[in-house]
Each structure stands twice: as C-alpha cells, then as structure tokens.
Amino acid sequence: MDSNNSNSTDNNESVQRPALSANSQFHAVPPPQQQHQQQHPQQPQQQQQQYRMMSPPGYYNGPPPPAPGPMPTPPQQFYNRPGSASSLQSQGPPPQPYFMPPPPPPHGQHLHYNSHPALDPHHLLPLQHSSAIKFEGDFVTTSRVGTYNRNLKTTRRNIELNQGHLVVDLPVPQSLLKLGALTEGQEFTHTRYTAVTCSADDFASNGYKLRQQELGRQTELFIVVTMYNEGDDLFCKTMVALMKNISYLCSRKKSQTWGDNGWQKAVICIVSDGRTKINPRVLSVLGLMGVYQDNIMKNVVGDKPVTAHLFEYTAQIAIDGESMEINGPKQDIVPCQILFCLKEKNAKKINSHRWFFNAFGPLINPNVCILIDVGTKPSDTSLYHLWKAFDVDKHVGGACGEIYAEVGTGCIKLINPLVASQNFEYKMSNILDKPLESSFGYISVLPGAFSAYRYAALQGMPLSQYFKGETMHGGENIFAANMYLAEDRILCFELVTKAKEAWVLRYIKAARAETDVPDTVPEFISQRRRWLNGSFFATIHALTHWYLIFRSGHNFIQKFLFCLEFVYNGVSLLFNWTGIGNFYLTFFFLMQTPVTVTINGKVISALGASPDNSDTGITNMFLVYSTILRYGYMVSMVIIFICSLGNRPQGSKWMYTGAMMVFAIIMTVMLYLGIFQVYAIVTQTISQITDPEFMAANPKFRGKNIVLILLQYFPMFRDTVCSLGATYGMYFVSSVLYMEPWHMFTSFLQYLLLLPSYVNILNVYAFCNLHDVSWGTKGDNTTNNDLGLVKLVQNKDGKEVVEVDVVEQSDVNAAYGQYISHLKEDRPKENRKRDAKTKQEDYFKKFRTNVILAWLTTNGILVGLLTTQWLQDVIFDAIRQSSNGKIGTASNTNPYLQFIFYANLGLASVRFLGCLVYLFLNVYHKFF
C-alpha cells in the first residue's frame, strides 16, 4: 500500500538545456584538440576567441580545425549499406571519396566539457552564420531514416545466436551517457536489438527473453504507446509526459511500492505499426534517446522473415517536442525502461496490442497495464492515480481517467467551433456519463487512448474475444466487423461478465489526460463514423447478451445494478436510433404555429408585432420564414445522403460544411423560438398569479403554497421549468458541483449550434458507410528486402552464428550525430494522403442498404404519423381522451413535445443522479 499522500515539490531551478533548434550552429565533424594545436601553432588568438564565443557553454573551445584531407577508401574495410552513396550510383553522381576522421587525442590528454552537452565535444564545429544546418557535400550520404550521415566504419562480426535468435547488444555513444546520471550497467551502456522471427503469440514459447527477466525485476506498471505515422511533436508530447509520471512515482518516498528505485517497476512499451510507415523524425528522437539504432536491422535471419524489430534500453533523457530541448536529470527525468517494438508490417492497432499483451506481457507479468495513444498527454500524476485505483480495490479490473480536449494556450483553439463543441462534449461526458457508469460498476467503454487494466483480469476469455477483432475487419460477418470497430467496448463487456469472477470498472477523475481532437470537418466526420458504427453494434451485442452477467461471480446487488444499466442503455439506444426523426419533429412543431404573448392588450409574436396587429398577419409572416427553413432542412438532408453514399468527407468538404452552416442557422432559430416561448409562458403565468381577480376566481388556490400552485395548476409553466432543468440547468449545476464550469461559458453555445449536425450529418454518414469497416489504413502483406539478410553458418565449435556488420565504437558517436542533424531540420508540412477506397463485397453493401432502409423507414413512419394532419388529430385526440384531458388540452401544448420533454427529463435525471452518487462516494472514501 502507498501511504504517501503528499505531493512532491516542483524543482523550479533554472537549468540551461542543450538545445536542438534549427538555429544551432554545429554539425558532426570530429576535431581533436591535439591535432589542431600541432597543425596551427601560429593561429591568431582573435580567431580562437571568436570560435569560443560561437560555442555554447561546455562545448569544445579549441581553435578551428583544418579541413581533413581526402583518403581513398580502404578495400573491405567499410561496409556500404543500402542507401549509402556507393549503392546509389545509378541514381546520381559517383560517390565522393571518404574523408577519414582525425585520430582521437593522445592517451592521457583530456578535454573538459559540460555534463549535459548535446553531443560529444570532439564532434562539434561552428558553421557559417546561417539559421539552417549545412553539411559538406563530400562528407555526407543519405541514411535509411532520411537523415544526413557519412559512411560509417563497420566490422563484420560473427554473432552466436541466443537460443536460435539474433540478439545484439550495441554500445551507445559516450555523449549520450554523459547526459544521464547513471553510466554503469549494460541497460545504460548498450542498446539491445532482437530480430523477432515469430508471431506475437509465440514470442514467449520460442525462448525470447527481455532484460527485465534477466535483472529479476517486478513490474507494477506496463505502459503501451501505440502509434502509426504520427509526427515527432505528438510522440515527444506523450513520452515527456510519461517520463514525468515515472519521476512522480519515484518522488513518493514513503510508498512501500515506489520510491527512489520506482522506475525499475515501470516499463514503457512503444509499438509502431509498420516499419515503412513510421515517421522518420520519430526514429531520430528514439535514436537520440538511445532507444533505436539504424544500422542493425535485417529483413531475414537464416530462412525466417523478421516480423518485428525489438530494441531495449533504459533512457535517461527526454526530448521536448516544442522547444526541441533535451530534458535530463536536472529536469527531474529519471531512468525509464523502454521497449521499442517496430513491427515489420502494418497490421493495425489491435495487432500492436497483441504484441503488448501476448508477446511481452507473459514475460514481464505486470500488475497493471496502461494503454495510451501517441498524442495523448497525461498529467504528471495520472499514472499514479490510475495505479492507486487497482491498489486500494482488489475487485477493480479496469479503469479510465478524464480525457479532455486540447484547447491551446489561452484557449486559442476554442475559436474553432468544431473544437469548442468537442470540448463541451468531452467535459459533460466526464461529468455525467462516466460517473454514472462508474457508480453502476460497468463502464461501457474504457477509451483506448487512455485506460488501464489489471493484467490478471484480462487473461482468458476477455483477451481471446478482444483479439477476434483482428480478423473481423474485412471478414464475412459484417455485423461483427462493425462491432469490432469498438473492440474496447467488447473487452469491457467480457471483463465484467467473466465467468466466476467479480471485476468492476471504475472512472478515476484525478487521472487526467489531454488529447488533440479533429479540427477539420472531414477528419471529424471520419473519426465519428468509426465511433458511431462501432458503439452502435457493440451496444447491441451487449444488450442481446445481457444474460451473460449471471455467469460472473458478482453478488446479487451488483448483478441487479448491471441489469438497471442495461435497461438505461437500451432506452438510450432507442432514442439514438430515432434521433433524426425526433429532431425533425421538434423542429416541425416549433415552426408549425407562431408563439405569441399578449401584453397590455397587444399581441406580440416571436417575429414582432404584425403590421395590422392581427393574428392573421403574424401567421402569414411566420409561415414564410418557417417554409424557407423547412425547405433548407430537407435540401440539406438530401445533400448529406447523396454525399454519404458516394463521396469521402475529404472530397465533399464544402458540401458538408455548408450543410453544417444551414443546420446552425436552423438551430439558432429554434433556440430563439424556445427562449421566446419561455418568455411568453413566464410572462403569462406571472400576470395571472399577480392578478387578484384571477386568484379569487379560483378557490382551489386558497391555502396552497405558490410553488405547489405553479406545479399543479400551470402545466405549461411546469413543463417549461422541467425541460430547462433537464438540459441547461443540469449541465450548469453538475459542472459547478464538479468545480469545472468554464466550458459552459466557452463552449456551450458552439455545441448547441452544432447539435443538429451531430444528430443528422454524423449519423447519416455513419449508417451510409456500414460497409466500410476499415480504420483508414490497409494491412501490409508484402515482405521487404531493403534491410538485407543474415545467413546462418557454423563456427569452428559447430555452433550456429550469423555474420553482422556492426558500427565500430569509434564511429558510434558519428552515427549518433545523424539523429541530431535530422531533428535540427524544419518539420515537413504534413500532406494528408489517403489510399483509394477498396471495392467492397456486394454483401457488405447489401447489409448497409438494409440497415439504412430500416432506419429511414422507422424514422419516416414516426414523422409521417405525427405530421399528417388527420392522423395527428386522431392520435392527439385519443391521447387527450385517454388522459381525461390532462395531456394536451389543459396545457394547450403538443402531446408529442410533452413526451419528448419528459423522456429527456427522465434520462437526464438518471445521469444527474449517477454523477451525484459518484461525487458522494468520492467524498466518503476521501474522509472515511
């Protein structure tokens, strides 16, 4: 148990960090001090002083070196790897001669430099005054990661296989070791590379080992960071945040679990989906941290193709993605154990999780697994709070924290209404929905971008069902394929219904993480297509298999709570299914007749007084405006259906944007009419209850409280108060109770204006693309040969060895310089390219057509019944008669609108009650 409840103090000491900005005036050329003094004994002191002024503190401050002389390349001494100059002769001019670096300083002579240089002072030279990094053309070639690098001196080594596997420990440059606090131990001095030649499920059974096993360490937190082709800015943001979290764990001195050596109990596993897909700048960041080396990977070992490239290293620095500065021990960065799994092929995110859970998990055997996506930035204490939830309650099988939208410095990103609406949506979900589900014990989805699971709880059926999704995308079962677009929902359901177990899922508000949200219309629509289709079919799966809860080991009360939640989810699903019909009917009835109020004998409508002060004039004006808006609504819906059935959002960006603007105008009118209706009802009610004659004419009011009179005898006022309280009031009160009301002022209006687009555009596009069960990336089934292969041979002792060209120690520092030079370059502008749409099977499209027909038929019947005048009269009259005039007649309101108001009130009340219960339990556990 962790008994330390005090937060560690922040170290505000100002520390000069080695910068990697594009304005740095250095590049990698080795100039030993001894040789400079011998070759230039009479160099002017002024020139030496000028060089010192151009060098940052701690770097080599000797005189400028001479240009190294050209030397012919010795035969069979330098290995020309793919991508080097000699292998590209057919693509350009002949290779330039290799320039041999000067020898190192004589033994016994030392150079002094700062303990945190960006790279070895033997390898720095000033450039001319320029903001860009330049290299001598005769001295550089292009490496595989797309960075500048000269030919590296390599040695061909016979490496004995480790239980049949290629495992190589590669020394890291001395300049990297000097950046950290620990310089002894192979986990700091060597990066381990393992060429994995089996599937993820066979990793442990094939005898592969990890350093954590060799060191005999117990792992409490096993963190997986999944990525595809994200940029280095997003990667650095996530990695720096994770390393700061591990630093916080080490700061908890009184903890029985953590403390100074707490970093030994946390492992970060980075899984990249496809070697050819990863962003080259991310590789440079990993190389700069010591986690990755470029010159060792192979495509084939013996006759076995490599499926993944595994690098292991305990890093002691982090790279700030914004300033490109190195953070080290003086910035409270502690050592972090890192596994970097670079998958050879692109096989989607769920396959990355298979490597994490099935390949590395059994060897590390962690207590808690944390899932996080690149681009998500947890706060400095989030990982601790997630872990603490599992530590204090042995029944917690999974947990999630609060994910909030990145709003930028000074909330600048909220200027974009799309970002603002998502900010409000995220906030209210964390205030109402997640606390409600956490109170029941079953959260329908723990977001894959930031969630945690108890490793022991996942074993067996939960993971088995979860990984079925890997084969469902593009399979024959279209229902299951769509369902597994939300495989995290399947995992949560399988976890709480696990046979003879009693696992519950919890929401941990103290664990917060920031994520970037879509800021363009096409990206937003594409993302929600996956979310809506996946959640819709996964919810149907959970509701139709609700009885599986009785196979679990939960007690009767917990099972009853689960059943209540299933009922609530079923009602919510029904309203989501009829969402476009309900929204149109609300619009139709609000625009059917003008709202008027009589003040001092003058009839005023929402459009103002009529020219002739007659009801007829008001009705005619209202009819013109309502007709224009109604046709605008219908035309927009037709455009959306046409675009959704044939065009990608990227190809119909302005069509969708125009439809969203039309719906925003319609919503503005609806809000105005709603506000005016509230004003009319309140004004009329106040005029009546303040009229002595009216009160005297109703003896039933005598002796009753004014509040009771309003609720019992003024149904229009009562319904208005309830409907307002179920929406605006509930949002505001719950936000204040959670002490987070700011989104109500910065994002609520944008959310309301985009609400019709959420209901109409997103749902239409999602259902019209049910046949598309992809994640936007296609699997890679080809085998590459660009890295080369290694052949098995037998040494003189009869053991199997492989011949591998390894960079010599003298050139390791030069190889390290390529990552720095790459990161000094400006980030390339992102060009978003998408593959052409794959032709889908007729079965998929037929299934899509049937679902759309059922959906439109249901909503069409609902709209038709309630908008056809004679049917409307028959239905509403029957309702009034069956209620003895209590519905519709006395209140002079539309019975359907009354139903919508009270249904919304009921669902909102459940959400509000759930957030209160969660708040009460949190306060209770905190003090008792």
Side-chain angles (χ1 to χ4, degrees), residues 659-679:
M660 294 177 76
M661 294 176 65
V662 171
F663 283 129
I665 294 173
I666 291 174
M667 190 64 187
T668 302
V669 175
M670 293 175 65
L671 288 174
Y672 170 70
L673 292 177
I675 292 172
F676 188 86
Q677 186 173 19
V678 172
Y679 167 75

Side-chain angles (χ1 to χ4, degrees), residues 689 704-714 717-718:
I689 62 176
K704 293 186 177 181
N705 185 279
I706 186 64
V707 175
L708 184 61
I709 293 174
L710 290 174
L711 294 179
Q712 185 174 358
Y713 300 106
F714 290 85
F717 180 83
R718 178 193 63 214

Side-chain angles (χ1 to χ4, degrees), residues 497-502 551-554:
T497 61
K498 188 176 182 180
K500 299 180 181 180
E501 300 285 355
R551 73 181 181 185
S552 68
H554 294 287

